[in-house]
Amino acid sequence: MESVKLEVQNVVLRKWQKGDEDSLVKYADNDAVAKFLKDSFPKPYTYSDAVNWVRFANRTIDSYNLAITLNKEVIGAIGVERQKDVYRKSAELGYWLGEEFWNRGIMTNVVKEMVELAFQNFPIVRLYAYVFTGNKASTIVLEKAGFELESIQKSAIYKNGQFMDQLVYVIVRI
């Protein structure tokens, strides 16, 4: 899959490419973006982090990591990672979007498209996403994309010196 053009606001999902690093840093190096992401998402987000990500993103076998672009500029990222062992029919969805593009409906459309790509291209029946408590925007995106709240994992997250619950959203197709 090279790229997918969405019908909304000229957004394109595509593979990562050399040259994406500057815009990746521009939008990823933001405390508001990192606030609800795992600590593995670098903070601060440096040019070196961007180079490493672009190098890594297209090499994985059991995942899709796509750049969210607008007017050829990377404004966010979305990925689906297949799980292993007894979880091999499941995949985890993760995403982020540059703060200046929030509340425009972009991510809801991107997630809907990624759900279709995941179910078409992986032998999975279950796609799930973790949401930290307080990330209301992400819960709205997932619900609009057809996900349902499956569970709340109490105090599952420890970030920035605080415990938070983790919400598990899921969409199942059998």
Side-chain angles (χ1 to χ4, degrees):
M1 192 215 49
E2 286 305 312
S3 66
V4 176
K5 185 166 176 32
L6 302 180
E7 295 300 317
V8 178
Q9 304 172 11
N10 297 316
V11 172
V12 175
L13 298 180
R14 64 159 170 76
K15 289 185 175 184
W16 291 90
Q17 39 190 272
K18 193 166 176 46
D20 287 340
E21 295 84 0
D22 287 334
S23 58
L24 177 54
V25 171
K26 177 180 175 181
Y27 296 111
D29 188 28
N30 179 319
D31 289 345
V33 169
K35 179 179 180 180
F36 292 119
L37 297 176
K38 294 176 183 176
D39 287 343
S40 58
F41 186 85
K43 181 183 161 198
Y45 203 103
T46 66
Y47 189 82
S48 176
D49 294 321
V51 168
N52 290 335
W53 174 252
V54 170
R55 191 177 301 142
F56 163 83
N58 293 330
R59 290 191 188 160
T60 56
I61 296 168
D62 285 335
S63 65
Y64 277 136
N65 294 300
L66 301 176
I68 302 169
T69 66
L70 179 63
N71 302 322
K72 299 186 180 181
E73 182 180 47
V74 172
I75 62 168
I78 189 162
V80 172
E81 184 178 348
R82 276 188 61 200
Q83 302 302 293
K84 297 179 181 353
D85 202 295
V86 296
Y87 306 105
R88 65 187 166 272
K89 295 295 184 179
S90 295
E92 181 180 356
L93 172 73
Y95 51 84
W96 65 267
L97 188 66
E99 185 175 13
E100 68 186 73
F101 302 98
W102 293 357
N103 302 311
R104 295 189 193 178
I106 292 171
M107 192 52 78
T108 297
N109 290 302
V110 167
V111 168
K112 286 179 181 178
E113 186 63 37
M114 196 63 162
V115 166
E116 294 309 312
L117 288 171
F119 282 117
Q120 287 171 13
N121 294 290
F122 288 141
I124 60 171
V125 298
R126 182 175 189 274
L127 186 59
Y128 65 90
Y130 294 132
V131 180
F132 298 7
T133 348
N135 190 350
K136 184 69 177 160
S138 202
T139 65
I140 292 168
V141 163
L142 291 167
E143 288 169 1
K144 285 183 176 180
F147 284 73
E148 296 178 9
L149 178 62
E150 179 180 68
S151 66
I152 300 173
Q153 299 171 334
K154 299 291 183 185
S155 298
I157 296 165
Y158 185 74
K159 183 161 174 106
N160 298 328
Q162 295 183 330
F163 285 99
M164 291 185 269
D165 295 345
Q166 177 169 268
L167 310 176
V168 181
Y169 276 84
V170 66
I171 189 167
V172 176
R173 292 190 183 161
I174 296 181

